[in-house]
Amino acid sequence: MPRSDQDPAFIPTAPDRPTGLPTEDQASTTLAHWHLGPLPDPEDLARYEAISPGLASRLVKLTRERAARQDHLRALALRSAARRDLAELLLTFFLAILAGLGGFDSLAQGDLATGLTLSGGSLSAMALALLRRRPPPHP
């Protein structure tokens, strides 16, 4: 008497081979090729050239132009960051010098607390501005 699926001791038997898979004499090998870069492999470029003469040289030219544009944009970004850092540094020094002069003026007029606060704050701001200088991030 065959066992049913409701029987807890029932373990179904699997077929020897899953259906739909090729047999050993039907099996084939598939090779995968992976390439990463701005240009195709030289073999692929040669095939492109055979299909359309001049295509390989146009691809190389377009790749060089794209690389030049990217280099130009990186240079612009670096110059912009350098200008921004310089402006930030100059503004910090200007404000610190202004606060320091106000502090010295307050000290000269006898207001010790305000004078020391402004003078100490301006020296701290200058020190922090110098210490905050950091190397640019790597792209």
Side-chain angles (χ1 to χ4, degrees), residues 116-133:
L116 288 177
T117 302
L118 287 174
S119 299
S122 67
L123 289 175
S124 298
M126 280 193 230
L128 285 175
L130 285 174
L131 292 175
R132 200 174 142 251
R133 302 302 293 165

Side-chain angles (χ1 to χ4, degrees), residues 47 49 74 92-93 96 102:
R47 279 187 245 137
E49 189 67 27
R74 283 190 196 109
T92 302
F93 277 132

